Amino acid sequence: MNEKAYKTMGLTGAANIAIGIVVMVIGVAAGVVAVIGGARLLKNREGLMF
């Protein structure tokens, strides 16, 4: 009985670590895209005419 609980806890812990890594990678990628987009907007704002 205890062995099943330990296996379940191990699988759950491994899954949580994997999900955490994926979320971190997506977060970093979204941050990089936001910074690049903001830099392009600041660079091109001088060319705007209203």
Side-chain angles (χ1 to χ4, degrees):
M1 183 79 175
N2 286 338
E3 186 177 333
K4 185 176 180 183
Y6 282 118
K7 284 184 179 180
T8 302
M9 288 173 64
L11 289 174
T12 303
N16 283 339
I17 290 172
I19 290 170
I21 291 171
V22 169
V23 169
M24 262 196 325
V25 168
I26 291 172
V28 169
V32 169
V33 168
V35 168
I36 290 172
R40 285 186 181 172
L41 284 173
L42 288 175
K43 179 182 170 189
N44 295 329
R45 71 179 171 174
E46 296 160 354
L48 289 177
M49 295 183 85
F50 291 101

